[in-house]
């Protein structure tokens, strides 16, 4: 057994001496010190040798292991490799390495997580829907009439792919179709939000983009009223920006809600003074909302006589810009690291 151990020791020293890279080093470590190595087998067999021999062999096994392990560790720390590859003068290999560039979540994504947290704490679930949508879900089931201007080719990106009724698919113009999709598998009471990217054929400026983010909200239950809607959104806005922010509620029209409202917030970028972002009005249009139209409830297979509900669509980019004090929506999509790295 002693000669066997000496042979292993010799073999290991020779193999390690020739090891030139870390892959070979790891292979040799497994070969000589691994669970299936010969040394490990001998250590197991020690119980079968004469009692007085056991301490001698045991010590020898440990010495061989320790020696092999020490050489491997030394090589791993690179002393030997570095010594070989070291340039003749002036190279200080103890200097710290150059730290790699580590990325992080985009500010819009970070902000979406903040919003999701607020709604999750209010008992909402988070759902998602497709960005490529059929006209049925994007318009028809939301009670949007055939001749509504938002369907116009000037406003909406149509793609070549067609649905069963030979209608082109669209890049969804809002997150509202997710309301209908979510209700295919749910029954009231529901409380959900659906964040995601939407697309519109827009002329861009500091507050408008051709693709941007919305977050839909939908609540359906018995006795839901418009005061529940306004109270919920006011609480959400105050949780996000603090109690000092002003909101104003304006009547509006959406085909999928009745009555419909828009909620504006005092512009935090100019404190209501007027700036390019708020088109010098001191107010920013941030979201559309309303009580879910009875036709839309029926399309969701919900009885409007028994249930009522509210829905809202937050313009995430504008909320985010106010939150982080960003004065041009186009920065978010520019891919400019000077902007992204500030978050
Ligand atoms: C809608 O999209 C409705 N689906 C919202 C809704 C949902 C109403 C549920 C009722 C019930 P609107 O087109 O107003 O509504 O857009 C909602 C928000 O998206 C706007 O308030 C604005 O903050 C943001 N938004 C709209 N267009 C742009 C754009 N081009 N760039 C950036 N944000 C935009």
């Amino acid at each position: 057994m002693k000669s066997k151990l000496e042979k292993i020791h010799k073999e290991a020293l020779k193999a390690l001496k020739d090891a030139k890279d870390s892959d070979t080093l790891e292979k040799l470590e497994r070969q000589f010190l691994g669970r299936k190595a010969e040394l490990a087998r001998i250590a197991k067999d020690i119980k079968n040798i004469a009692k007085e021999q056991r301490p001698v062999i045991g010590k020898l096994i440990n010495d061989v292991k320790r020696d092999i392990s020490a050489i491997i560790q030394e090589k791993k720390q690179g002393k030997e490799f570095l010594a070989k590859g070291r340039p003749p003068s002036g190279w200080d290999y103890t200097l710290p390495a150059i730290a790699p560039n580590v990325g992080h979540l985009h500010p819009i994504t970070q902000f979406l997580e903040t919003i999701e947290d607020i709604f999750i704490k209010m008992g909402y679930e988070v759902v998602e829907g497709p960005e490529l949508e059929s006209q049925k879900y994007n318009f028809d089931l939301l009670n949007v009439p055939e001749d509504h201007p938002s369907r116009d080719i000037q406003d909406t990106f149509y793609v070549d792919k067609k649905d069963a009724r030979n209608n082109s698919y669209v890049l969804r113009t809002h997150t509202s179709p997710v309301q209908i999709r979510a209700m295919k598998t749910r029954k009231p009471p529901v409380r959900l939000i659906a964040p995601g990217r939407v697309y519109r054929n827009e002329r861009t400026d500091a507050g408008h983009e051709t693709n941007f983010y919305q977050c839909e909200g939908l609540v359906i239950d018995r006795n839901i009223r418009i005061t529940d809607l306004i109270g919920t959104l006011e609480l959400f806005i105050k949780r996000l920006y603090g109690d000092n922010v002003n909101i104003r509620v304006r009547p509006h029209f959406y085909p999928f809600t009745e009555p419909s409202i828009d909620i504006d917030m005092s512009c935090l970028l100019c404190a209501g003074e007027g700036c390019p972002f708020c088109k010098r009005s001191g107010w920013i249009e941030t979201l559309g909302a309303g009580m879910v139209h009875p036709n839309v409830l029926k399309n969701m297979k919900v009885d409007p006589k028994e249930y009522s509900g509210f829905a809202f669509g937050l313009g995430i980019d504008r909320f985010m810009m106010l939150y982080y004090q960003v004065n041009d929506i186009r920065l978010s999509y520019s891919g400019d690291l000077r902007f992204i790295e500030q978050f």
Side-chain angles (χ1 to χ4, degrees):
M1 210 167 244
K2 203 170 159 203
S3 60
K4 225 180 193 176
L5 285 167
E6 275 161 4
K7 190 168 160 254
I8 294 172
H9 192 199
K10 243 191 197 161
E11 265 174 35
L13 294 187
K14 183 169 180 304
L16 284 168
K17 197 168 164 223
D18 295 340
K20 297 239 174 343
D21 54 71
S22 52
D23 282 352
T24 318
L25 211 54
E26 272 170 26
K27 209 177 115 219
L28 292 175
E29 188 172 19
R30 274 196 303 279
Q31 181 182 333
F32 290 105
L33 300 178
R35 273 186 300 128
K36 292 183 184 157
E38 216 178 339
L39 264 180
R41 254 199 316 274
I42 295 175
K44 261 190 208 153
D45 285 349
I46 204 165
K47 56 182 183 299
N48 302 328
I49 61 174
K51 218 173 177 182
E52 59 284 2
Q53 282 290 307
R54 284 182 205 166
V56 184
I57 299 295
K59 182 172 179 303
L60 199 56
I61 294 174
N62 282 340
D63 288 348
V64 172
K65 261 191 190 167
R66 203 175 301 124
D67 194 36
I68 297 175
S69 175
I71 296 172
I72 290 174
Q73 288 318 315
E74 186 168 299
K75 287 221 169 202
K76 268 191 179 168
Q77 281 164 19
K79 283 183 195 149
E80 195 152 315
F81 292 147
L82 280 168
K84 266 191 200 156
R86 195 189 305 164
S89 66
W91 179 260
D92 182 356
Y93 60 83
T94 62
L95 281 174
I98 298 164
N101 279 335
V102 180
H104 61 70
L105 294 178
H106 189 280
I108 295 266
T109 314
Q110 291 182 33
F111 182 66
L112 268 177
E113 289 184 353
T114 307
I115 285 190
E116 285 171 12
D117 276 353
I118 295 176
F119 279 108
I120 288 168
K121 283 186 185 133
M122 291 198 228
Y124 284 66
E125 66 171 312
V126 182
V127 300
E128 284 186 347
E131 287 179 25
L132 186 61
E133 190 52 282
S134 66
Q135 293 187 46
K136 182 175 151 196
Y137 283 96
N138 198 76
F139 298 122
D140 300 343
L141 295 174
L142 286 164
N143 207 32
V144 181
E146 282 286 335
D147 55 357
H148 193 275
S150 68
R151 293 193 182 229
D152 200 287
I153 194 147
Q154 300 298 325
D155 285 322
T156 299
F157 293 112
Y158 290 88
V159 300
D160 288 344
K161 184 177 152 85
K162 301 239 162 78
D163 64 16
R165 291 185 295 171
N166 208 28
N167 286 323
S168 299
Y169 273 77
V170 293
L171 293 178
R172 66 177 175 190
T173 58
H174 51 174
T175 42
S176 299
V178 189
Q179 290 181 31
I180 311 277
R181 288 191 177 274
M183 289 309 289
K184 280 166 91 174
T185 52
R186 286 168 181 77
K187 293 255 164 288
V190 290
R191 229 183 289 176
L192 58 87
I193 55 164
R197 197 185 267 244
V198 302
Y199 303 82
R200 289 186 195 178
N201 193 358
E202 295 263 22
R203 182 190 291 255
T204 62
D205 60 27
H208 292 80
E209 251 299 357
T210 50
N211 72 94
F212 55 99
Y213 280 80
Q214 285 190 343
C215 180
E216 197 73 10
L218 176 69
V219 170
I220 304 179
D221 204 344
R222 292 191 174 89
N223 300 320
I224 297 288
R225 292 158 302 186
I226 196 157
T227 43
D228 298 317
L229 166 62
I230 295 172
T232 301
L233 291 174
E234 188 168 7
L235 179 65
F236 160 70
I237 286 173
K238 291 202 183 304
R239 286 205 173 154
L240 195 57
Y241 299 110
D243 288 339
N244 291 333
V245 68
N246 292 321
I247 64 163
R248 71 175 183 189
V249 177
R250 283 184 290 116
H252 196 76
F253 170 76
Y254 294 102
F256 29 90
T257 46
E258 181 58 36
S260 305
I261 56 171
D262 263 1
I263 292 193
D264 299 339
M265 275 179 48
S266 48
C267 180
L268 302 180
L269 297 186
C270 62
E273 293 285 306
C275 66
F277 180 62
C278 61
K279 296 203 181 118
R280 315 226 167 262
S281 70
W283 293 96
I284 313 268
E285 175 202 326
T286 50
L287 67 94
M291 301 303 291
V292 183
H293 194 289
N295 288 350
V296 176
L297 285 175
K298 282 184 209 154
N299 291 340
M300 293 169 172
K301 311 240 174 326
V302 173
D303 182 358
K305 291 201 190 87
E306 192 179 351
Y307 291 102
S308 54
F310 65 72
F312 53 86
L314 313 175
I316 292 300
D317 300 70
R318 296 194 188 159
F319 272 106
M320 174 277 220
M321 290 165 78
L322 292 168
Y323 192 74
Y324 291 130
Q325 309 265 301
V326 174
N327 62 6
D328 195 316
I329 190 171
R330 291 166 291 195
L331 286 167
S332 283
Y333 303 95
S334 65
D336 190 336
L337 288 179
R338 288 170 304 178
F339 172 70
I340 304 283
E341 282 173 353
Q342 291 179 45
F343 298 91

